[in-house]
Amino acid sequence: MTGFEIRSFIDQSIRFFWRESFGQIYPELKRLASDGLIKPVRADAPSGRASQPWRITPAGRDLLKEWLEKPPQEQPVRDETLLKIFFSRHAAPETQHELVRQTRERAMSKLQALHAAEQLILSHPDHPDLVRSLIVLERGLLAARTQIEWADSAAALLEAQANGGAGAVIKRWRRKS
Amino acid sequence: MTGFEIRSFIDQSIRFFWRESFGQIYPELKRLASDGLIKPVRADAPSGRASQPWRITPAGRDLLKEWLEKPPQEQPVRDETLLKIFFSRHAAPETQHELVRQTRERAMSKLQALHAAEQLILSHPDHPDLVRSLIVLERGLLAARTQIEWADSAAALLEAQANGGAGAVIKRWRRKS
DNA sequence: TATTCCATGTAATTCGTTACATGATTCT
DNA sequence: AGAATCATGTAACGAATTACATGGAATA
């Protein structure tokens, strides 16, 4: 594939959990080529800005396998929404509800988009990546539903706090556990 | 608080969704001070490496409120586990199961840690941040449980694929929806 | 032939971690 | 006095985005 095609592929298939910019892709392709992990499909040097497809080499395939077997590194968790809610004592009470409400809304529209993606995947039942696509999709669906569930629970806790104070909050917390 | 105390606070309370390094904290404190958003508690300049506590200024408080009201920016999603699973067609079949299994295990131990945190929060029912701590904790609990649920679902789908191929996978997928 | 889309690339900047260096304070 | 811990700070590096610059190919 060309760098451009790689970017398009990412945007069309795994955009829910991975993104890349051209500023990353093009320098990285050169690095991979100079390491002998990929090589240009066409022997002759491209003129100007003509498209430049690349193909993986045997050495590249080996390294890919190796990478797949290494335990994935945990991504650094940095959730700005939770950070704001945690410190929202210093904001107007309205702000807390608003933060929760917006989170719910975003999760709802994400859920919509994922349902569309589901239809697309199911319409190609013979695609070799079917299982893995569904597994990855499932992660998105569960995450979105969880987000909605959390927003509702958070709203209820804020409600309890407003009406009955800390006592009501703890009562409600114990009830669900 | 001093930079050191800030770091300790983060590590003890919100480490599940936020981290900071000293390399960020100390230069940032200087920037905040030069912007007039915080000021040193002690008037006299600290000698050597003595502790240096800071206090927020009225201007800082204003900016904090403003920041709390701005819609949080979505964090860029980059899930290396999903990326590996998505491309695991190129690895040994064992690898896929292993990736899922490890994810489940990590979620389980995270759940354990969160339950411990829950006890800690509930043991201080009069803390002013009680609601917000529980809300943020709830997010972690739900996320961990979702991760486990997903791992089980993924294992089942891989199983279906191994036993009955694409047909069995789709059948199982439809059953749960 | 003008426009649109495909396509590559670089520079500037930001964000963040890690490693390193060093001093102050407290406890044994 | 020595060790452990509290405490601040900088340098080097890496990862990633954004903005910018430019050219090639297809099509209206």
Side-chain angles (χ1 to χ4, degrees):
Chain A
M1 295 167 93
T2 69
F4 195 84
E5 285 169 344
I6 290 170
R7 160 71 178 245
S8 306
F9 173 77
I10 290 170
D11 281 353
Q12 281 161 34
S13 57
I14 59 177
R15 70 176 174 288
F16 290 117
F17 64 90
W18 203 271
R19 274 163 224 223
E20 289 292 351
S21 62
F22 287 127
Q24 283 267 302
I25 290 173
Y26 287 117
E28 187 60 30
L29 284 173
K30 293 215 156 168
R31 224 168 301 142
L32 290 172
S34 83
D35 287 355
L37 303 170
I38 60 173
K39 62 173 199 293
V41 167
R42 289 195 279 269
D44 47 336
S47 67
R49 300 275 158 125
S51 90
Q52 165 89 324
W54 302 90
R55 191 188 311 282
I56 196 167
T57 63
R61 221 164 256 286
D62 287 347
L63 197 66
L64 172 61
K65 266 190 198 150
E66 227 174 87
W67 175 76
L68 284 168
E69 275 159 25
K70 267 195 296 187
Q73 60 183 93
E74 285 212 66
Q75 75 246 38
V77 256
R78 275 200 144 181
D79 191 318
E80 202 181 283
T81 303
L82 289 185
L83 190 66
K84 288 194 178 188
I85 286 175
F86 188 74
F87 287 110
S88 61
R89 177 161 54 111
H90 306 283
E94 245 301 293
T95 307
Q96 309 182 8
H97 291 90
E98 190 55 20
L99 280 166
V100 170
R101 209 188 51 72
Q102 279 173 12
T103 304
R104 191 184 202 281
E105 227 166 67
R106 250 178 293 135
M108 283 297 282
S109 63
K110 196 159 193 177
L111 197 56
Q112 290 290 82
L114 287 166
H115 279 311
E118 180 185 5
Q119 292 314 312
L120 204 67
I121 292 170
L122 291 176
S123 70
H124 298 95
D126 296 326
H127 194 286
D129 277 326
L130 177 79
V131 210
R132 282 165 292 274
S133 296
L134 287 177
I135 287 176
V136 157
L137 174 76
E138 171 84 331
R139 188 76 187 76
L141 288 169
L142 286 173
R145 289 193 203 112
T146 297
Q147 189 85 289
I148 292 166
E149 195 184 335
W150 170 79
D152 292 339
S153 154
L157 285 170
L158 286 174
E159 193 73 13
Q161 162 83 8
N163 295 338
V169 167
I170 290 188
K171 201 173 156 194
R172 166 152 204 112
W173 181 265
R174 298 227 188 262
R175 204 173 72 205
K176 106 172 88 186
S177 303
Chain B
M1 295 166 92
T2 69
F4 194 86
E5 286 169 343
I6 290 170
R7 159 72 178 244
S8 306
F9 173 78
I10 291 172
D11 281 353
Q12 282 162 32
S13 58
I14 60 177
R15 70 177 175 288
F16 291 117
F17 63 92
W18 204 272
R19 272 163 225 224
E20 290 291 352
S21 61
F22 287 128
Q24 283 266 303
I25 289 172
Y26 287 116
E28 187 61 30
L29 284 172
K30 292 216 156 166
R31 223 168 301 141
L32 290 171
S34 83
D35 287 355
L37 302 170
I38 60 174
K39 62 172 202 292
V41 167
R42 290 196 276 270
D44 48 337
S47 67
R49 302 272 156 128
S51 89
Q52 164 90 325
W54 302 89
R55 192 188 311 281
I56 195 167
T57 63
R61 222 162 254 286
D62 288 347
L63 198 66
L64 172 62
K65 266 189 197 152
E66 228 175 85
W67 174 77
L68 284 168
E69 275 159 24
K70 267 195 295 186
Q73 61 182 93
E74 288 211 64
Q75 74 247 38
V77 258
R78 275 199 146 184
D79 190 318
E80 203 180 282
T81 304
L82 289 185
L83 191 65
K84 289 196 177 186
I85 286 174
F86 188 74
F87 286 110
S88 61
R89 176 162 54 110
H90 305 285
E94 245 302 291
T95 308
Q96 308 182 8
H97 291 90
E98 190 55 20
L99 280 166
V100 169
R101 209 186 52 72
Q102 279 174 12
T103 304
R104 191 185 202 281
E105 226 164 70
R106 250 178 294 133
M108 283 295 283
S109 64
K110 196 161 191 175
L111 197 55
Q112 290 290 81
L114 286 166
H115 279 311
E118 181 184 4
Q119 293 314 312
L120 204 68
I121 293 172
L122 290 176
S123 70
H124 297 96
D126 295 326
H127 195 287
D129 277 326
L130 177 78
V131 210
R132 282 164 294 275
S133 296
L134 287 177
I135 287 176
V136 157
L137 174 76
E138 170 84 333
R139 187 76 188 77
L141 288 169
L142 285 173
R145 290 193 203 114
T146 297
Q147 191 85 289
I148 292 166
E149 194 185 336
W150 169 80
D152 292 340
S153 154
L157 284 170
L158 287 174
E159 193 73 11
Q161 162 82 7
N163 295 337
V169 168
I170 290 190
K171 200 172 157 193
R172 166 151 203 114
W173 181 265
R174 297 226 189 266
R175 203 172 73 205
K176 107 173 87 187
S177 301

mmCIF file of all heavy atoms in Angstrom, chain A residues 78-96:
data_model
loop_
_atom_site.group_PDB
_atom_site.id
_atom_site.type_symbol
_atom_site.label_atom_id
_atom_site.label_comp_id
_atom_site.label_asym_id
_atom_site.label_seq_id
_atom_site.Cartn_x
_atom_site.Cartn_y
_atom_site.Cartn_z
ATOM 1 N N ARG A 78 -5.560 8.883 30.491
ATOM 2 C CA ARG A 78 -5.691 10.302 30.821
ATOM 3 C C ARG A 78 -7.060 10.745 30.384
ATOM 4 O O ARG A 78 -7.281 11.073 29.223
ATOM 5 C CB ARG A 78 -4.621 11.117 30.089
ATOM 6 C CG ARG A 78 -3.315 11.159 30.827
ATOM 7 C CD ARG A 78 -2.474 12.316 30.354
ATOM 8 N NE ARG A 78 -1.728 12.873 31.465
ATOM 9 C CZ ARG A 78 -0.918 13.926 31.327
ATOM 10 N NH1 ARG A 78 -0.784 14.518 30.169
ATOM 11 N NH2 ARG A 78 -0.287 14.395 32.374
ATOM 12 N N ASP A 79 -7.989 10.739 31.316
ATOM 13 C CA ASP A 79 -9.371 11.046 30.994
ATOM 14 C C ASP A 79 -9.734 12.441 31.506
ATOM 15 O O ASP A 79 -9.956 12.646 32.689
ATOM 16 C CB ASP A 79 -10.280 9.986 31.610
ATOM 17 C CG ASP A 79 -11.696 10.089 31.088
ATOM 18 O OD1 ASP A 79 -12.194 11.234 30.956
ATOM 19 O OD2 ASP A 79 -12.302 9.049 30.823
ATOM 20 N N GLU A 80 -9.777 13.394 30.597
ATOM 21 C CA GLU A 80 -9.999 14.781 30.999
ATOM 22 C C GLU A 80 -11.391 14.982 31.588
ATOM 23 O O GLU A 80 -11.581 15.804 32.487
ATOM 24 C CB GLU A 80 -9.783 15.720 29.804
ATOM 25 C CG GLU A 80 -9.477 17.135 30.233
ATOM 26 C CD GLU A 80 -9.290 18.091 29.058
ATOM 27 O OE1 GLU A 80 -8.220 18.055 28.435
ATOM 28 O OE2 GLU A 80 -10.217 18.876 28.775
ATOM 29 N N THR A 81 -12.369 14.222 31.096
ATOM 30 C CA THR A 81 -13.721 14.335 31.636
ATOM 31 C C THR A 81 -13.730 13.990 33.121
ATOM 32 O O THR A 81 -14.274 14.748 33.940
ATOM 33 C CB THR A 81 -14.670 13.396 30.880
ATOM 34 O OG1 THR A 81 -14.630 13.705 29.487
ATOM 35 C CG2 THR A 81 -16.099 13.557 31.396
ATOM 36 N N LEU A 82 -13.108 12.850 33.468
ATOM 37 C CA LEU A 82 -13.084 12.445 34.870
ATOM 38 C C LEU A 82 -12.308 13.457 35.706
ATOM 39 O O LEU A 82 -12.691 13.767 36.835
ATOM 40 C CB LEU A 82 -12.452 11.062 35.002
ATOM 41 C CG LEU A 82 -13.292 9.897 34.473
ATOM 42 C CD1 LEU A 82 -12.608 8.575 34.772
ATOM 43 C CD2 LEU A 82 -14.686 9.921 35.088
ATOM 44 N N LEU A 83 -11.234 13.981 35.124
ATOM 45 C CA LEU A 83 -10.438 14.979 35.846
ATOM 46 C C LEU A 83 -11.296 16.193 36.195
ATOM 47 O O LEU A 83 -11.280 16.690 37.328
ATOM 48 C CB LEU A 83 -9.248 15.399 34.982
ATOM 49 C CG LEU A 83 -8.180 16.250 35.663
ATOM 50 C CD1 LEU A 83 -7.475 15.440 36.735
ATOM 51 C CD2 LEU A 83 -7.174 16.775 34.655
ATOM 52 N N LYS A 84 -12.065 16.651 35.243
ATOM 53 C CA LYS A 84 -12.917 17.817 35.482
ATOM 54 C C LYS A 84 -13.989 17.515 36.514
ATOM 55 O O LYS A 84 -14.267 18.319 37.403
ATOM 56 C CB LYS A 84 -13.547 18.280 34.166
ATOM 57 C CG LYS A 84 -12.541 18.932 33.240
ATOM 58 C CD LYS A 84 -13.168 19.694 32.105
ATOM 59 C CE LYS A 84 -12.040 20.346 31.294
ATOM 60 N NZ LYS A 84 -12.519 21.274 30.273
ATOM 61 N N ILE A 85 -14.594 16.349 36.395
ATOM 62 C CA ILE A 85 -15.634 16.002 37.363
ATOM 63 C C ILE A 85 -15.050 15.900 38.764
ATOM 64 O O ILE A 85 -15.633 16.376 39.737
ATOM 65 C CB ILE A 85 -16.327 14.685 36.953
ATOM 66 C CG1 ILE A 85 -17.236 14.970 35.757
ATOM 67 C CG2 ILE A 85 -17.114 14.094 38.112
ATOM 68 C CD1 ILE A 85 -17.888 13.766 35.174
ATOM 69 N N PHE A 86 -13.864 15.303 38.850
ATOM 70 C CA PHE A 86 -13.238 15.145 40.161
ATOM 71 C C PHE A 86 -12.993 16.492 40.837
ATOM 72 O O PHE A 86 -13.121 16.624 42.045
ATOM 73 C CB PHE A 86 -11.921 14.385 40.015
ATOM 74 C CG PHE A 86 -11.303 14.009 41.334
ATOM 75 C CD1 PHE A 86 -11.838 12.979 42.092
ATOM 76 C CD2 PHE A 86 -10.204 14.686 41.815
ATOM 77 C CE1 PHE A 86 -11.290 12.631 43.308
ATOM 78 C CE2 PHE A 86 -9.639 14.341 43.035
ATOM 79 C CZ PHE A 86 -10.184 13.314 43.778
ATOM 80 N N PHE A 87 -12.675 17.508 40.037
ATOM 81 C CA PHE A 87 -12.395 18.832 40.610
ATOM 82 C C PHE A 87 -13.571 19.799 40.488
ATOM 83 O O PHE A 87 -13.411 21.004 40.740
ATOM 84 C CB PHE A 87 -11.148 19.436 39.951
ATOM 85 C CG PHE A 87 -9.872 18.779 40.387
ATOM 86 C CD1 PHE A 87 -9.155 17.981 39.510
ATOM 87 C CD2 PHE A 87 -9.402 18.936 41.680
ATOM 88 C CE1 PHE A 87 -7.976 17.365 39.915
ATOM 89 C CE2 PHE A 87 -8.234 18.332 42.102
ATOM 90 C CZ PHE A 87 -7.516 17.536 41.216
ATOM 91 N N SER A 88 -14.729 19.285 40.142
ATOM 92 C CA SER A 88 -15.852 20.184 39.842
ATOM 93 C C SER A 88 -16.469 20.796 41.096
ATOM 94 O O SER A 88 -17.397 21.595 41.007
ATOM 95 C CB SER A 88 -16.910 19.453 39.026
ATOM 96 O OG SER A 88 -17.411 18.351 39.750
ATOM 97 N N ARG A 89 -15.948 20.434 42.260
ATOM 98 C CA ARG A 89 -16.355 21.111 43.484
ATOM 99 C C ARG A 89 -16.121 22.611 43.371
ATOM 100 O O ARG A 89 -16.814 23.424 43.991
ATOM 101 C CB ARG A 89 -15.539 20.533 44.648
ATOM 102 C CG ARG A 89 -15.786 21.171 45.990
ATOM 103 C CD ARG A 89 -15.312 20.259 47.099
ATOM 104 N NE ARG A 89 -13.909 19.865 46.903
ATOM 105 C CZ ARG A 89 -12.893 20.268 47.690
ATOM 106 N NH1 ARG A 89 -13.124 21.068 48.708
ATOM 107 N NH2 ARG A 89 -11.672 19.858 47.462
ATOM 108 N N HIS A 90 -15.135 22.975 42.561
ATOM 109 C CA HIS A 90 -14.776 24.383 42.431
ATOM 110 C C HIS A 90 -15.554 25.089 41.318
ATOM 111 O O HIS A 90 -15.247 26.217 40.977
ATOM 112 C CB HIS A 90 -13.276 24.513 42.173
ATOM 113 C CG HIS A 90 -12.451 23.814 43.210
ATOM 114 N ND1 HIS A 90 -12.252 24.341 44.459
ATOM 115 C CD2 HIS A 90 -11.821 22.615 43.203
ATOM 116 C CE1 HIS A 90 -11.503 23.502 45.169
ATOM 117 N NE2 HIS A 90 -11.241 22.453 44.431
ATOM 118 N N ALA A 91 -16.526 24.419 40.752
ATOM 119 C CA ALA A 91 -17.320 25.019 39.673
ATOM 120 C C ALA A 91 -18.768 25.161 40.110
ATOM 121 O O ALA A 91 -19.159 24.670 41.173
ATOM 122 C CB ALA A 91 -17.233 24.158 38.425
ATOM 123 N N ALA A 92 -19.565 25.833 39.311
ATOM 124 C CA ALA A 92 -20.993 25.933 39.585
ATOM 125 C C ALA A 92 -21.600 24.525 39.549
ATOM 126 O O ALA A 92 -21.162 23.688 38.771
ATOM 127 C CB ALA A 92 -21.653 26.823 38.542
ATOM 128 N N PRO A 93 -22.603 24.256 40.414
ATOM 129 C CA PRO A 93 -23.192 22.912 40.494
ATOM 130 C C PRO A 93 -23.731 22.455 39.135
ATOM 131 O O PRO A 93 -23.682 21.277 38.788
ATOM 132 C CB PRO A 93 -24.334 23.073 41.501
ATOM 133 C CG PRO A 93 -24.111 24.365 42.183
ATOM 134 C CD PRO A 93 -23.245 25.207 41.325
ATOM 135 N N GLU A 94 -24.241 23.416 38.373
ATOM 136 C CA GLU A 94 -24.725 23.132 37.031
ATOM 137 C C GLU A 94 -23.668 22.399 36.196
ATOM 138 O O GLU A 94 -23.973 21.466 35.437
ATOM 139 C CB GLU A 94 -25.047 24.475 36.333
ATOM 140 C CG GLU A 94 -26.495 24.663 36.003
ATOM 141 C CD GLU A 94 -26.999 23.563 35.105
ATOM 142 O OE1 GLU A 94 -26.568 23.482 33.951
ATOM 143 O OE2 GLU A 94 -27.827 22.756 35.613
ATOM 144 N N THR A 95 -22.413 22.846 36.339
ATOM 145 C CA THR A 95 -21.320 22.331 35.507
ATOM 146 C C THR A 95 -21.193 20.813 35.589
ATOM 147 O O THR A 95 -20.961 20.139 34.586
ATOM 148 C CB THR A 95 -19.996 22.972 35.950
ATOM 149 O OG1 THR A 95 -20.172 24.398 35.957
ATOM 150 C CG2 THR A 95 -18.879 22.626 34.995
ATOM 151 N N GLN A 96 -21.346 20.274 36.810
ATOM 152 C CA GLN A 96 -21.200 18.830 36.985
ATOM 153 C C GLN A 96 -22.229 18.071 36.159
ATOM 154 O O GLN A 96 -21.892 17.142 35.423
ATOM 155 C CB GLN A 96 -21.372 18.468 38.453
ATOM 156 C CG GLN A 96 -20.503 19.301 39.371
ATOM 157 C CD GLN A 96 -20.644 18.901 40.821
ATOM 158 O OE1 GLN A 96 -21.282 17.907 41.149
ATOM 159 N NE2 GLN A 96 -20.032 19.676 41.696
#
